[in-house]
Amino acid sequence: MRVTRGSEASLSLGRTLPGRGAWLCKGSLGCFDAAARRRAFAKALRAEVDAGALKRLRTDFVPSGPPARD
């Protein structure tokens, strides 16, 4: 999974988005949390990463479960 830093310091998930990116294990919260703890996002993106942006990205990182049945 690729994380990119867009305009206004927003973080996005997408394999083909332009700009510098950081690669992570797909759907692994352990991998995401370890990268955040080591400040790997700031290092890979060569920019400061806001804690709020990381929090929003974490909720988008793991896909939601299957839709509920009626």
Side-chain angles (χ1 to χ4, degrees):
M1 179 75 50
R2 184 168 181 254
V3 177
T4 59
R5 184 177 183 269
S7 61
E8 300 174 13
S10 63
L11 299 177
S12 302
L13 295 171
R15 185 179 184 100
T16 59
L17 294 173
R20 292 200 57 81
W23 288 92
L24 294 171
C25 309
K26 186 174 183 178
S28 171
L29 281 179
C31 181
F32 184 92
D33 292 339
R37 189 174 47 252
R38 291 189 331 263
R39 300 183 37 85
F41 292 107
K43 292 173 188 174
L45 301 174
R46 294 184 186 167
E48 285 299 315
V49 177
D50 182 54
L54 277 178
K55 192 173 191 177
R56 285 187 296 278
L57 182 67
R58 190 177 191 276
T59 60
D60 296 338
F61 188 69
V62 175
S64 60
R69 292 179 53 182
D70 290 278

